[in-house]
């Protein structure tokens, strides 16, 4: 009996352990289900995002990628891309890419020849509206799945693989694998702490693998942003450009490499020195001399970029640039630094990331840069300049260079510094427009404009100003409906412009026999970029103050019919307000927008997007007016502001200041 009882006891123990195990597994599964993202709530996500990177410092780079993307809504959703910048490497050896549907049918394929047709970079995207060719993600109804594979080979000793892996979308599973050659070492930084790293030794490579499971952005608004979300930064600890070796262990080391590569290009000939001194002979102060030389280069030297091999990093000799009267950004900066140093002034080149919207990571030194500007120190003040842009005087920078990390280089090595940013008080625009509307919707108008800061630099003074073009910008109406007269333009200072405009806009209001729709549009949120819109729009919001006033006199008999309520927003760093009245056949609209921030954080970008959306909604509003059948005068009016005059609502009403 004892052995049998013992056996029964053992069986009961096994059963209990089995039940407990099942419960633990079930509870674990339940917990996992609770913690896992709600995948159906995302427009699209990666079921799999797999990258393999293999490189050698002498032959270049090979990348293989495989993505399985689940799309939960109709076409037009960005589902990932690969971008091949070929400015500094012209030896793209191979490119192959395919996108397939769930049945294995190839939706789109591209090869190396097709990729080369796009300049200055090539993109292979997985969404409709691609620069090379659209991949229309269409199906009877979502969700549906697409699968993409591509392979890139770059055979170029001038290239080193400083990669940022990441994208906008959440992902169920991601695998990033890097094959490191013998005697080589890579540096990396895990931006997302959930990455799990493993290392494996093979015959000819050390294989480093990172894996990420069930990841979504902490702030879901991030996935709607234009800029990819970085996951992993990588760079070689030592790199080689031509025969020159460098290290990426610190910003100082990177700066020393760049200075050793470029400092020999400084210096002028005796005859050139005399020309420089003659040009500034009448200038009294060092600041005036530096400003005059900056303007001289910006106006008299043409921007021409010739970059082959080392030319992507190394400028031409300043002596040659001086005589040739042309050069790219680094050529002009080194010429400017040469001139200032001839006068005994402290001046340095500085590398900055201007074109690319992805922000530089100050904690991970590597070559993030695509533009060169100048920095000079005069009487203890640090003054910045972009000699390749003639719109901006000494001490100011184009929007694309403001509030950026810049690597200043010199005999000291390299030092990461922050470029300044204009305040909202400096970037101001005020427009006051008075017009008379005819029954057929034509508007005869007069307008006064006062702009400063970036707004003044946008004003088309260089090469002449088109009256129709200025009116189009200010009133938000495009030619050929406009006939404008630019009556007076006064350049108050290099940073402030006033103008008087008048003219006629045909069909400014959509008129009918008894109904009229008006759109009192005015300019507002600006997009300023030195490089003609190459930067991501999400990064082009400037600190600014905009004040627009529109006064429109109607013909007899018109009164409001559809008058939507204005919305007011006041995010942390900005505000927008609108006030409007209709009295004595006169429509008065006053709009005010203020934005103070220059930082490029997720919170700032989100607040800026909300404020911009409110402004654009008001700017594009349509108001309907009607005229009774008898066409007689009416006295109906809408309430005015608290003080009895047209203006912005008080803060208690939710408006601006």
């Amino acid at each position: 009996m004892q052995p049998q009882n013992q056996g029964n006891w053992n069986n009961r123990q096994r059963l209990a352990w089995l039940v407990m195990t099942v419960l633990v597994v079930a509870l674990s599964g339940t917990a996992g289900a609770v913690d896992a993202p709600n995948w159906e709530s995302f427009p699209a996500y990666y079921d799999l995002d797999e990258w393999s990177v293999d490189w050698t410092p002498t032959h270049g780079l090979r990348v293989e990628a495989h993505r399985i993307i689940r799309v939960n809504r109709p076409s037009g959703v960005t589902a990932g891309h690969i971008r091949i910048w070929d400015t500094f490497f012209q030896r793209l050896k191979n490119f192959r890419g395919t996108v397939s549907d769930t049945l294995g049918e190839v939706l789109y394929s591209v090869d190396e020849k097709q990729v080369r047709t796009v300049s200055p970079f090539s993109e292979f995207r997985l969404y409709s509206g691609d620069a090379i060719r659209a991949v229309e993600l269409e199906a009877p109804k979502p969700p549906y799945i697409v699968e993409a594979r591509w392979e890139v080979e770059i055979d170029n000793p001038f290239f080193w693989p400083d990669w940022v892996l990441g994208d906008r979308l959440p992902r169920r599973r991601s695998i990033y694998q890097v094959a490191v050659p013998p005697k080589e070492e890579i540096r990396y930084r895990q931006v997302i702490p959930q990455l799990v790293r493993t290392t494996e030794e093979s015959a000819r490579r050390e294989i480093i693998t990172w894996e990420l499971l069930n990841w979504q952005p902490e702030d879901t608004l991030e996935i709607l942003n234009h800029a990819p979300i970085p996951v992993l930064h990588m760079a070689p600890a030592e790199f080689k450009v031509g025969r020159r070796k460098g290290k990426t262990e610190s910003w100082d080391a990177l700066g020393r490499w760049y200075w050793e590569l470029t400092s020999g290009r400084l210096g002028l000939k005796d005859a050139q020195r005399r020309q420089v001194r003659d040009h500034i002979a009448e200038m009294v102060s060092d600041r005036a001399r530096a400003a005059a030389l900056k303007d001289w280069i910006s106006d008299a030297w043409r921007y021409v970029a010739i970059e082959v091999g080392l030319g992507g990093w190394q400028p031409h000799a300043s002596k040659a640039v001086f005589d040739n009267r042309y050069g790219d950004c680094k050529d002009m900066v080194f010429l400017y630094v040469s001139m200032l140093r001839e006068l005994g002034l402290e001046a340095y080149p500085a590398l900055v990331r201007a074109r690319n919207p992805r922000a530089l990571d100050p904690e991970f030194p590597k070559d993030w840069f695509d533009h060169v500007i100048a920095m000079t120190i005069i009487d203890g003040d640090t003054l910045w300049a972009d000699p390749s842009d003639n719109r901006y005087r000494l001490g100011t920078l184009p929007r694309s260079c403001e509030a950026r990390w810049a690597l200043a280089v010199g005999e000291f090595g390299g030092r990461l510094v922050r470029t300044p940013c204009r305040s909202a008080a400096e970037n101001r625009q005020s427009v006051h427009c008075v017009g008379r509307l005819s029954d057929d919707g034509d508007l005869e108008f007069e307008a006064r404009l006062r702009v400063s800061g970036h707004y003044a630099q946008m004003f088309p003074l260089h090469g002449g100003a088109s009256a129709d073009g200025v009116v189009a910008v200010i009133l938000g109406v495009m030619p050929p409906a406009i006939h404008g007269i630019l009556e007076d333009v006064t350049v108050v200072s290099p940073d402030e412009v006033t103008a008087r405009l008048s003219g006629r806009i045909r069909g400014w209001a959509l008129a009918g026999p008894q109904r009229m729709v008006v759109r009192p549009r005015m300019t507002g949120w600006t997009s300023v970029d030195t490089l003609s819109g190459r930067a991501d729009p999400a990064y082009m919001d400037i600190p600014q103050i905009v004040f627009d006033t529109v006064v429109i006199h109607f013909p007899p008999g018109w009164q409001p019919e559809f008058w939507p309520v204005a919305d007011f927003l006041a995010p942390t760093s900005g505000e927008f307000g609108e006030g409007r009245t209709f009295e004595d056949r006169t429509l008065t609209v006053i709009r005010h927008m203020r934005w103070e921030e220059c930082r490029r954080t997720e919170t700032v970008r989100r607040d800026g997007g909300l404020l911009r959306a409110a402004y654009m909604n008001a700017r594009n509003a349509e108001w309907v007016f009607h005229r009774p059948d008898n066409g007689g005068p009416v006295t109906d009016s809408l309430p005015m502001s608290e003080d009895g005059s047209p203006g912005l609502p008080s803060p208690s009403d939710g408006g601006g200041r």
Side-chain angles (χ1 to χ4, degrees):
M1 293 293 295
Q2 184 69 24
Q4 184 176 356
N5 290 338
Q6 183 68 38
N8 292 338
W9 172 249
N10 289 340
N11 289 336
R12 287 195 295 271
Q13 274 189 318
R14 293 190 187 96
L15 180 60
W17 278 110
L18 180 61
V19 171
M20 289 179 64
T21 302
V22 170
L23 286 174
V24 168
V25 171
L27 290 173
S28 300
T30 303
V34 171
D35 295 337
N38 179 14
W39 298 107
E40 301 304 319
S41 66
F42 298 109
Y45 63 87
Y46 296 131
D47 264 339
L48 178 65
D49 184 20
E50 189 173 14
W51 291 74
S52 173
V53 179
D54 191 354
W55 68 281
T56 62
T58 55
H59 294 97
L61 179 72
R62 177 187 176 94
V63 179
E64 293 181 353
H66 178 210
R67 278 178 166 168
I68 300 177
I69 305 150
R70 187 179 180 93
V71 183
N72 291 326
R73 73 179 187 194
S75 62
V77 176
T78 303
H81 68 271
I82 182 169
R83 177 172 292 185
I84 310 161
W85 292 84
D86 60 5
T87 304
F88 296 151
F89 57 90
Q90 290 84 31
R91 296 176 64 176
L92 177 63
K93 183 178 179 181
N94 185 40
F95 182 94
R96 291 191 298 271
T98 60
V99 179
S100 306
D101 61 14
T102 51
L103 300 177
E105 180 181 352
V106 175
L107 302 175
Y108 172 61
S109 64
V110 65
D111 58 23
E112 177 262 341
K113 291 182 180 179
Q114 292 169 302
V115 168
R116 284 186 180 276
T117 61
V118 181
S119 179
F121 55 82
S122 300
E123 297 184 0
F124 177 66
R125 294 186 177 180
L126 310 180
Y127 80 116
S128 58
D130 177 52
I132 298 176
R133 198 176 187 89
V135 180
E136 296 290 350
L137 306 179
E138 295 181 353
K141 64 177 182 178
Y144 51 97
I145 299 172
V146 292
E147 182 174 7
R149 296 180 183 270
W150 60 82
E151 176 184 312
V152 183
E153 290 183 73
I154 300 168
D155 184 11
N156 192 343
F158 286 100
F159 176 76
W160 67 82
D162 47 355
W163 283 75
V164 179
L165 296 178
D167 217 316
R168 305 171 181 84
L169 302 184
R171 53 207 74 200
R172 282 184 183 270
R173 186 184 185 197
S174 295
I175 302 171
Y176 311 110
Q177 192 172 86
V178 181
V180 184
K183 300 181 181 180
E184 298 293 337
E185 179 185 355
I186 67 164
R187 298 171 43 253
Y188 62 88
R189 189 168 92 80
Q190 300 179 188
V191 181
I192 296 176
Q194 296 94 321
L195 284 168
V196 177
R197 182 177 65 91
T198 58
T199 302
E200 175 188 354
E201 296 289 342
S202 67
R204 301 179 57 241
R205 295 283 193 274
E206 179 187 44
I207 310 298
I208 305 176
T209 303
W210 290 267
E211 187 170 7
L212 182 65
L213 298 175
N214 288 341
W215 177 84
Q216 66 172 332
E218 294 181 3
D219 185 349
T220 55
L221 285 175
E222 288 185 3
I223 67 174
L224 303 177
N225 197 293
H226 291 281
I229 302 167
V231 173
L232 179 69
H233 296 307
M234 295 185 298
E238 185 179 81
F239 62 88
K240 186 177 180 182
V241 178
R243 297 181 180 180
R244 294 181 177 270
K245 291 184 178 181
K247 295 182 180 295
T248 62
E249 59 192 21
S250 66
W251 292 113
D252 179 66
L254 196 60
R256 289 184 184 280
W257 172 82
Y258 187 75
W259 184 247
E260 291 172 3
L261 177 69
T262 59
S263 58
R265 302 299 192 170
L266 294 171
L268 300 175
K269 296 182 289 189
D270 290 340
Q272 295 169 344
R273 295 189 187 99
R274 287 193 293 270
Q275 290 186 52
V276 170
R277 295 189 180 277
D278 289 344
H279 189 79
I280 59 171
E282 299 180 0
M283 306 298 170
V284 176
S285 66
D286 287 339
R287 189 182 295 252
R289 295 186 185 101
L293 292 176
K294 188 273 174 193
D295 293 341
W296 187 29
I297 294 174
S298 296
D299 293 335
W301 272 257
R302 291 181 297 115
Y303 182 89
V304 177
I306 302 176
E307 300 170 344
V308 179
L310 274 177
W313 293 268
Q314 190 179 60
H316 295 87
S318 295
K319 301 172 184 178
V321 177
F322 190 103
D323 290 336
N324 293 335
R325 286 297 198 271
Y326 66 81
D328 63 8
C329 61
K330 57 186 177 294
D331 292 330
M332 295 187 185
V333 165
F334 274 77
L335 175 61
Y336 182 56
V337 170
S338 295
M339 290 181 176
L340 294 180
R341 290 194 170 200
E342 292 293 343
L343 303 179
L345 298 178
E346 188 178 357
Y348 309 100
L351 309 175
V352 69
R353 188 183 186 88
R355 280 188 304 183
N356 199 308
R358 182 179 292 147
L360 179 151
D361 187 338
E363 299 182 25
F364 193 76
K366 72 169 189 174
D367 182 18
W368 295 78
F369 311 104
D370 54 27
H371 190 46
V372 184
I373 55 179
M375 182 183 77
T376 180
I377 302 174
I378 300 176
D379 298 330
D381 292 337
T382 300
L383 302 175
W384 295 87
D386 187 347
S388 60
D389 194 323
N390 63 358
R391 298 175 300 171
Y392 290 86
R393 70 190 193 282
L394 177 66
T396 62
L397 288 171
R399 175 58 188 141
S400 59
C401 299
E402 281 190 327
R404 304 289 176 110
W405 287 110
L407 182 64
V409 298
E411 294 83 355
F412 54 83
R415 184 170 68 249
L416 203 62
V417 293
R418 193 76 171 172
T419 61
C421 181
R422 291 173 185 252
S423 66
E426 294 175 281
N427 298 317
R428 299 177 69 98
Q429 174 170 279
S430 176
V431 178
H432 188 275
C433 179
V434 178
R436 188 168 300 278
L437 199 60
S438 66
D439 280 324
D440 58 6
D442 292 348
L443 180 72
E444 300 282 345
F445 71 91
E446 293 182 354
R448 298 193 309 273
L449 168 72
R450 191 178 191 94
V451 292
S452 65
H454 286 301
Y455 279 103
Q457 310 310 325
M458 289 176 62
F459 207 84
L461 294 177
H462 302 287
S466 162
D468 291 351
V470 173
V471 174
V473 170
I474 293 172
L475 297 182
V477 182
M478 296 304 295
I482 299 169
H483 174 64
I485 301 172
L486 195 58
E487 296 180 351
D488 178 49
V489 177
T490 303
V491 181
V492 180
S493 73
D495 235 18
E496 186 172 351
V497 178
T498 64
R500 244 179 345 112
L501 308 149
S502 63
R504 178 172 176 266
I505 302 178
R506 295 186 303 276
W508 188 79
L510 303 180
Q514 299 295 329
R515 182 167 295 189
M516 186 177 291
V517 180
V518 300
R519 300 186 181 99
R521 297 181 178 182
M522 300 292 280
T523 56
W525 205 282
T526 186
S527 297
V528 182
D529 180 28
T530 304
L531 298 166
S532 303
R534 292 184 186 176
D536 194 302
Y539 291 81
M540 292 159 62
D541 304 331
I542 66 172
Q544 60 189 279
I545 295 175
V546 178
F547 198 88
D548 296 337
T549 304
V550 187
V551 180
I552 305 298
H553 300 288
F554 277 69
W558 292 93
Q559 65 183 26
E561 175 183 306
F562 177 66
W563 192 269
V565 177
D567 292 327
F568 305 98
L569 283 185
T572 306
S573 49
E575 62 186 28
F576 164 69
E578 177 186 289
R580 57 179 181 261
T581 64
F582 188 79
E583 276 200 344
D584 299 329
R585 306 194 337 257
T586 300
L587 169 67
T588 302
V589 181
I590 300 178
R591 291 185 182 139
H592 168 266
M593 185 177 68
R594 177 185 60 86
W595 177 252
E596 298 285 357
E597 288 291 350
C598 201
R599 295 176 295 116
R600 291 172 174 81
T601 64
E602 293 300 328
T603 301
V604 167
R605 289 219 306 262
R606 179 183 57 206
D607 287 352
L610 293 173
L611 187 64
R612 177 166 45 187
Y615 186 90
M616 295 304 293
N617 287 339
R619 176 177 178 263
N620 295 324
E622 292 186 351
W623 304 336
V624 181
F625 295 78
H626 76 278
R627 184 169 55 186
D629 292 338
N630 58 15
V634 293
T635 58
D636 292 358
S637 64
L638 294 178
M640 306 181 86
S641 58
E642 290 182 349
D643 62 0
S645 61
L648 290 174
S650 65
S652 62
D653 293 330
R657 290 179 182 174

